[in-house]
Amino acid sequence: MADPVFYDLCVHCAPDGKSTQEEMVAMARHLGFGGIALTNHSNSDSLPKGSSDKGFEVLRGVELVSSNPSKLHGIVGKYRKKVEILAVHGGDEGINRAAVENPNVDILLHPGTPKGCGLNHVLAKSASDNNVAIAFDMASLIMLRGGRRVHSLSHFREILALARKYDVPFLLTNNASFSYGLRAPREMMALATLFGMERGEALMALSETPAEIIRRVRRGNNFICEGVEILEDDPSGMKGEDK
């Protein structure tokens, strides 16, 4: 069996972070990743560019920041065709709901609210139906201390239980904004056991799930369902063909 290819789909670089795109890529490659998505916040000065070089992928992404749930769908539409990975910065119940109900969203980050983990059975079901992945931010386990770390672990356990029950896709991310904030995939998998994630689940969260998100996005609007795809400039005039 081939070795898994690891991805971190929520990484920030300058001007949103402290390290340049080149520094983030070099460190991620060194740590054993096969690719990263640079998801600078939508309110930062600029979005990084994607690239692919010698077996390492750099995907162009964005982490949308909005305080208005009713406007989030419009912002998603604005960025969807500009980036490969589209994440939403949660933490508000309305924003969380708008994110998981929108199939054009790839990832919900930081869903936790002052009242709890930020998800419930209804939102988990919506995330599952719309293939919106929930990201577990390993940086919160590394950087936080005391009661705040305990609360983060508790919220992660709640989210994991909901994800298992409703078959919600989930990811592990460093959410790093500087190169030395990145951790190797095996370290991230070990950290995930602190809130009850099994090794197989953590492996999937770093390899199969992000790879599926990338495949789905790259199929784009031409994809109808498995085996059926719209062909560009089809001389027969047919809009779809069974592959």
Side-chain angles (χ1 to χ4, degrees):
M1 182 179 295
D3 291 334
V5 178
F6 298 112
Y7 298 91
D8 189 335
L9 298 188
C10 304
V11 173
H12 307 274
C13 67
D16 202 30
K18 298 178 181 179
S19 298
T20 66
Q21 176 172 331
E22 292 74 19
E23 289 170 336
M24 298 299 286
V25 168
M27 180 61 77
R29 188 196 292 267
H30 171 73
L31 292 174
F33 287 96
I36 58 174
L38 296 167
T39 53
N40 283 5
H41 293 89
S42 57
N43 55 5
S44 66
D45 291 338
S46 64
L47 298 181
K49 296 180 180 180
S51 65
S52 181
D53 178 53
K54 297 179 181 179
F56 190 91
E57 287 194 276
V58 182
L59 297 111
R60 192 181 195 209
V62 66
E63 182 177 343
L64 300 183
V65 180
S66 176
S67 59
N68 189 329
S70 65
K71 292 183 179 180
L72 182 63
H73 292 298
I75 301 173
V76 169
K78 173 185 175 181
Y79 282 95
R80 178 68 277 180
K81 292 186 178 181
K82 296 180 179 180
V83 299
E84 292 177 283
I85 303 301
L86 194 152
V88 171
H89 188 114
D92 170 86
E93 292 179 9
I95 293 294
N96 291 350
R97 179 179 297 278
V100 299
E101 289 179 348
N102 192 326
N104 284 317
V105 172
D106 298 315
I107 303 166
L108 173 61
L109 280 156
H110 319 301
T113 70
K115 296 180 180 179
C117 74
L119 295 181
N120 55 34
H121 296 277
V122 174
L123 297 190
K125 180 65 165 57
S126 292
S128 178
D129 290 343
N130 293 304
N131 275 322
V132 179
I134 307 301
F136 291 93
D137 176 9
M138 296 295 98
S140 65
L141 302 185
I142 297 169
M143 305 302 293
L144 297 179
R145 295 290 184 270
R148 295 179 65 190
R149 191 165 188 258
V150 171
H151 287 151
S152 184
L153 283 168
S154 177
H155 292 165
F156 281 5
R157 291 189 186 99
E158 293 178 49
I159 293 171
L160 181 59
L162 287 167
R164 286 169 171 167
K165 182 173 182 178
Y166 292 98
D167 196 24
V168 180
F170 54 84
L171 306 170
L172 296 180
T173 176
N174 285 290
N175 192 38
S177 57
F178 64 108
S179 60
Y180 292 104
L182 289 166
R183 294 294 182 273
R186 303 294 178 183
E187 292 180 65
M188 297 171 71
M189 292 168 62
L191 280 171
T193 65
L194 295 177
F195 55 90
M197 190 175 288
E198 297 178 359
R199 185 184 183 281
E201 292 175 320
L203 181 63
M204 182 178 294
L206 282 166
S207 57
E208 294 178 35
T209 301
E212 176 56 29
I213 291 174
I214 295 167
R215 283 194 296 268
R216 185 176 71 239
V217 170
R218 286 180 173 170
R219 285 184 300 201
N221 295 328
N222 288 347
F223 179 75
I224 299 173
C225 64
E226 290 297 338
V228 180
E229 182 178 353
I230 296 174
L231 300 179
E232 299 290 345
D233 300 323
D234 183 359
S236 69
M238 297 177 64
K239 292 183 179 298
E241 182 176 318
D242 195 353
K243 305 297 283 183

